[in-house]
Amino acid sequence: MITQIAIASLRHRLGSVLLTLFTIVISVSLLLSVEYVRGQVRDSFTRTVSGVDIIVGAPTGQLNLLLYSVFRLGNPTNGVNWNDVAWLQTHPQVDWLVPLSLGDAHKGFRVVGTTNGYFEHFKYGDKQPLSFASGGHFVADTSAVIGAEVATELGYAVSDEIVVSHGLGDISFQHHDAHPFTITGILAPTGTPADKAVYVTLHGIESVHASPSPGRTLRRTAITKPGNDDSTQASQDDAHDTHRHEDDEQHHDHDDSHEHELHEESHTEHDNDSATSTLSEAQPESVSALLLGLKSRVAALQLQHQINNYDGAALLAILPGVALKELWGLMGNVEKLLLGISVLILLSSLIGLITLLLATMRERRQEIAVLRAIGAGPATILWLVQAEALLISAVGCVFSIALVSAGLSLFSEWLNASYGLIVTGSLFTQATGIVIVCVMAATWLCSFIPAIAAYRTALHTGLSGR
Amino acid sequence: MTLSQETSQAPASSDSTAVALDKVNFSYGRNSAPVIDIPHWHVNAKEHVFVSGASGSGKSTLLNLITGTLIPQQGTVTLCGKPFSEVSARKRDKLRATHIGVVFQQFNLISYLTVSQNIAAAAYFADNPSNDIDARIRQLLAALKLPESILRAKASELSVGQQQRVAIARALVNEPELLVVDEPTSALDASARDIFMSLLRENARDSALIFVSHDAALASHFDKHTDIASLNQAGATV
Ligand SMILES: Nc1ncnc2c1ncn2[C@@H]1O[C@H](COP(=O)(O)OP(=O)(O)OP(=O)(O)O)[C@@H](O)[C@H]1O
Ligand SMILES: [Mg+2]
């Protein structure tokens, strides 16, 4: 009956109720979207990398290393000398090792020099491996694999040729048409920075660096156990396109039996195909970062300690999970600010709601007198006013959820395209539930202001409504 | 309570007394003069009493005291054997809902509710089971010569005369022991007033009725006629 009266009372004041409802829908929608996107950002954040136990790089800072190795943001400050990390290949705890060579770009997309091991070992989200939407991994030194977004944005397909420019500028004046890469594979979308990268072989990136920019030289060394160095110091500083084939052949004859599995990866599918395969095992003088997978994650802390205290050179080893948390801690402040603003907007719309209800108090004296006469206690009248406030908010929440759901399904593509945000799942998450509960609780608390006014009116109003 | 129950008049037994006031003293402010000061007054069950008095003489205040909406600073108001002063505010509201029907001068109904909702609300607060309410409402409308079609109408869409008749229906829906009516006809024209008075008397046969008005001409419709001044020592000094 109370609800019935409350509904009738609200319908009676439909005009002002609708306006108030409108402000509540706007503010709750805002709050829901912010909270939702916040959750999604955090998700896609922590989804960026998984299955990598340790990242090794030059000693910068753990955030810096994380940012350039995983998020492909910022510039890698220094490379790590290969000889300083070669020992990790044979470390008993190390399961696999993927080198990354960064610092170049293709039409605004970051270029990552790496090995086929990257496609096998790098994981994102809930330990999901990378997969190819079309094509496959590197088959030659001039192979390139592109992320899903690169493919869609630049309209590339497998077997297209691309050119990598030296440096990170969007438009580089140093196009090296002499060293085109051929796309061999396109990765399936992941919703992570992996979509926005062009992957080339380590050898390929050396060629880019080698010719016209004297800053970086390359020394080609086969990735072998340290003891085998002698067999692979073949071609060095003058590596040019013309040399590549020689190198490749040289390495194909190489005996794999004692090689680290890193080689095996690059070889597995091409050993029987050596006539056409021209994928070398060359390694650069230095790499930007190394991704390590361990045989047992338990050893991560211990190995991190070991790397950080390595005598041979200054190295930095980070645990991605820990670094992600720290990074999120920083980013979280911006999110919190957004959330704070939305909460304030919600508050102002609730104040609007209170004002609406307070404004009706004068005209409600009569109504309160009638209710008192038929035996409604002041507590009932208090509750009636609160019920009205809660009804408005509840309807507002329902509309907001509908609005935000519709908005998300409309804009999910755009969000993905513009911000790499993969909007997954529905809005019916725990976070949404918490927002709704908070909105209703806030409404209930705020409604005490007009409700107590009504209560006092009820106490002091005689039967005639005076 | 320090007040003894002994009164100058023979106390009526509770089952035959609808309402009784003993040494009731009431004023609106702590420092203002008492508006009501009644040594003793009671209305028997099914008795219809007309209370006349000039404007501002305290008639509405008296009714507020009888219904428990106002509490006297001194004295006891006893409704159907239950003294208001001894029960909680919540119980008092419940007593009013179940035992008293109220009709005031105007604006008796909640304007945005339908006639049916207005009457059902009174049943709701009296915990009257809603399943027989519909039949009861129809019966009352018929008795008050109102068409059933107005059930779905908003109270604000009725004429003042219809509103007052619906107010009687609302007041009677719980079959109260006492009906309290405050100048219900002052907004009505002469013919509407006569219809109202006769419908009220007919339908209130099973209840005690306290009817207050400044219009002494209405006294002819009642068993008993009292002037508030004769009850009220305070009124005598105003
Ligand atoms: N809520 C109130 N606060 C203070 N004084 C009040 C209040 N209600 C009534 N009074 C005063 O109490 C006195 C009696 O008022 P009451 O309304 O009982 O008179 P009444 O006989 O019903 O008058 P009327 O015939 O005009 O309805 C008046 O002097 C009035 O000013
Ligand atoms: Mg009055």
Side-chain angles (χ1 to χ4, degrees):
Chain A
M1 189 78 213
I2 300 292
T3 353
Q4 213 178 337
I5 296 175
I7 291 171
S9 161
L10 291 177
R11 288 178 53 172
H12 176 59
R13 298 173 241 278
L14 202 59
S16 41
V17 167
L18 280 182
L19 275 178
T20 310
L21 185 68
F22 185 64
T23 66
I24 287 182
V25 168
I26 288 175
S27 61
V28 174
S29 300
L30 193 69
L31 195 59
L32 280 176
S33 329
V34 166
E35 187 57 31
Y36 183 75
V37 170
R38 212 166 84 101
Q40 291 285 323
V41 168
R42 169 185 274 153
D43 263 14
S44 70
F45 217 73
T46 44
R47 279 165 53 88
T48 312
V49 56
S50 78
V52 174
D53 297 312
I54 291 184
I55 301 173
V56 183
T60 54
Q62 79 161 355
L63 286 189
N64 204 24
L65 179 53
L66 180 79
L67 283 177
Y68 70 69
S69 64
V70 173
F71 289 90
R72 315 268 146 73
L73 294 169
N75 293 317
T77 42
N78 295 304
V80 179
N81 199 311
W82 182 258
N83 291 331
D84 294 329
V85 290
W87 60 278
L88 284 167
Q89 292 182 90
T90 49
H91 192 280
Q93 295 290 354
V94 175
D95 187 27
W96 52 265
L97 178 153
V98 172
L100 300 178
S101 182
L102 307 157
D104 299 300
H106 170 73
K107 294 192 178 168
F109 290 102
R110 297 286 175 116
V111 170
V112 181
T114 186
T115 64
N116 274 331
Y118 183 84
F119 308 116
E120 185 180 339
H121 294 301
F122 187 83
K123 302 224 166 50
Y124 68 98
D126 193 14
K127 297 251 163 73
Q128 288 162 268
L130 296 172
S131 62
F132 286 92
S134 63
H137 55 54
F138 304 142
V139 293
D141 284 345
T142 52
S143 293
V145 168
I146 57 174
E149 212 179 307
V150 181
T152 47
E153 195 140 314
L154 300 178
Y156 289 162
V158 170
S159 77
D160 281 0
E161 291 210 331
I162 59 168
V163 166
V164 169
S165 49
H166 191 187
L168 292 173
D170 206 345
I171 301 154
S172 171
F173 296 104
Q174 294 181 312
H175 286 298
H176 309 306
D177 297 305
H179 310 290
F181 290 88
T182 309
I183 296 170
T184 58
I186 296 171
L187 294 173
T190 63
T192 72
D195 294 350
K196 296 181 184 170
V198 172
Y199 303 89
V200 298
T201 60
L202 287 171
H203 182 203
I205 214 150
E206 284 157 23
S207 334
V208 172
H209 294 164
S211 24
S213 47
R216 287 181 172 189
T217 55
L218 85 149
R219 187 181 64 180
R220 193 153 312 158
T221 323
I223 302 170
T224 55
K225 289 190 172 185
N228 288 355
D229 274 353
D230 52 326
S231 66
T232 53
Q233 294 282 338
S235 64
Q236 309 186 358
D237 314 295
D238 57 343
H240 282 277
D241 203 28
T242 47
H243 293 150
R244 208 168 55 210
H245 292 275
E246 290 175 52
D247 291 343
D248 296 335
E249 274 143 33
Q250 180 184 345
H251 292 298
H252 271 290
D253 294 334
H254 209 80
D255 179 13
D256 276 50
S257 60
H258 64 287
E259 297 275 335
H260 187 267
E261 63 175 296
L262 181 67
H263 303 125
E264 289 159 16
E265 285 146 19
S266 24
H267 275 264
T268 35
E269 289 182 23
H270 304 288
D271 278 349
N272 304 330
D273 197 18
S274 41
T276 53
S277 168
T278 52
L279 186 59
S280 76
E281 288 116 17
Q283 62 162 92
E285 186 177 81
S286 69
V287 291
S288 309
L290 288 174
L291 307 179
L292 297 191
L294 304 186
K295 289 182 175 129
S296 151
R297 296 192 67 179
V298 186
L301 269 176
Q302 190 204 329
L303 184 60
Q304 183 192 24
H305 184 77
Q306 201 180 333
I307 296 170
N308 284 336
N309 294 296
Y310 177 61
D311 284 335
L315 294 176
L316 174 68
I318 61 166
L319 307 177
V322 175
L324 276 172
K325 238 177 226 139
E326 190 188 325
L327 185 53
W328 178 252
L330 288 176
M331 303 256 307
N333 283 334
V334 178
E335 318 274 339
K336 275 184 199 124
L337 184 72
L338 264 180
L339 191 65
I341 292 170
S342 339
V343 166
L344 284 181
I345 293 174
L346 173 71
L347 220 75
S348 66
S349 71
L350 286 182
I351 290 171
L353 175 63
I354 296 168
T355 312
L356 165 76
L357 291 174
L358 270 180
T360 63
M361 273 317 136
R362 185 182 293 271
E363 56 186 275
R364 292 188 115 169
R365 289 187 74 90
Q366 209 61 57
E367 174 190 329
I368 289 169
V370 172
L371 287 168
R372 291 286 282 147
I374 61 177
T380 307
I381 283 150
L382 179 114
W383 167 234
L384 180 68
V385 174
Q386 293 196 319
E388 289 187 19
L390 290 172
L391 270 171
I392 293 181
S393 274
V395 172
C397 285
V398 170
F399 276 127
S400 301
I401 289 175
L403 191 73
V404 176
S405 297
L408 282 178
S409 58
L410 272 177
F411 293 114
S412 61
E413 218 144 89
W414 175 78
L415 275 175
N416 187 15
S418 319
Y419 299 102
L421 259 185
I422 294 219
V423 182
T424 49
S426 71
L427 194 58
F428 298 97
T429 59
Q430 197 186 351
T432 303
I434 290 172
V435 168
I436 299 299
V437 168
C438 288
V439 168
M440 294 309 286
T443 305
W444 182 65
L445 285 179
C446 289
S447 71
F448 270 102
I449 297 170
I452 284 174
Y455 181 92
R456 292 166 59 92
T457 307
L459 276 185
H460 297 124
T461 302
L463 294 183
S464 52
R466 266 207 305 196
Chain B
M1 284 266 98
T2 51
L3 284 170
S4 65
Q5 277 303 109
E6 50 187 305
T7 57
S8 50
Q9 296 175 17
S13 66
S14 60
D15 53 338
S16 64
T17 306
V19 66
L21 284 74
D22 276 293
K23 297 180 179 156
V24 168
N25 191 301
F26 176 86
S27 61
Y28 278 102
R30 207 170 288 167
N31 303 318
S32 50
V35 178
I36 297 290
D37 183 5
I38 297 175
H40 180 87
W41 187 53
H42 73 263
V43 174
N44 289 326
K46 299 187 185 179
E47 192 174 26
H48 287 192
V49 182
F50 179 78
V51 181
S52 60
S55 184
S57 56
K59 303 184 295 295
S60 297
T61 307
L62 174 66
L63 294 189
N64 277 321
L65 289 167
I66 289 172
T67 55
T69 321
L70 292 177
I71 297 303
Q73 280 82 14
Q74 287 170 30
T76 322
V77 177
T78 307
L79 178 72
C80 303
K82 293 185 192 77
F84 277 143
S85 56
E86 284 175 19
V87 300
S88 65
R90 182 186 273 258
K91 270 264 182 59
R92 215 156 51 225
D93 292 330
K94 196 54 92 187
L95 281 176
R96 176 165 65 253
T98 50
H99 295 287
I100 304 179
V102 178
V103 179
F104 5 98
Q105 184 172 355
Q106 51 184 337
F107 311 120
N108 273 290
L109 307 176
I110 297 175
S111 60
Y112 51 80
L113 295 182
T114 63
V115 167
S116 146
Q117 284 173 324
N118 262 291
I119 302 175
Y124 167 83
F125 287 112
D127 295 332
N128 221 333
S130 52
N131 40 338
D132 2 302
I133 283 306
D134 245 25
R136 171 81 178 139
I137 292 174
R138 281 166 207 284
Q139 173 203 335
L140 279 168
L141 286 188
L144 290 160
K145 311 225 156 39
L146 287 165
E148 273 197 15
S149 59
I150 68 159
L151 274 178
R152 304 262 148 258
K154 289 260 163 65
S156 53
E157 295 159 5
L158 305 185
S159 75
V160 181
Q162 283 174 320
Q163 283 182 28
Q164 291 304 78
R165 278 189 271 165
V166 172
I168 299 176
R170 202 262 321 272
L172 289 171
V173 72
N174 299 316
E175 298 174 320
E177 281 84 349
L178 175 65
L179 225 90
V180 163
V181 183
D182 191 355
E183 311 234 27
T185 57
S186 54
L188 304 180
D189 62 28
S191 70
R193 185 190 62 205
D194 290 341
I195 296 170
F196 178 91
M197 288 311 294
S198 61
L199 286 173
L200 176 67
R201 283 177 53 204
E202 262 171 52
N203 287 283
R205 268 190 311 262
D206 297 328
S207 307
L209 170 65
I210 300 176
F211 188 108
V212 306
S213 176
H214 65 278
D215 184 2
L218 294 169
S220 58
H221 296 276
F222 295 88
D223 316 336
K224 251 190 189 172
H225 174 196
T226 323
D227 192 280
I228 191 158
S230 65
L231 299 171
N232 196 358
Q233 297 177 353
T237 63
V238 166

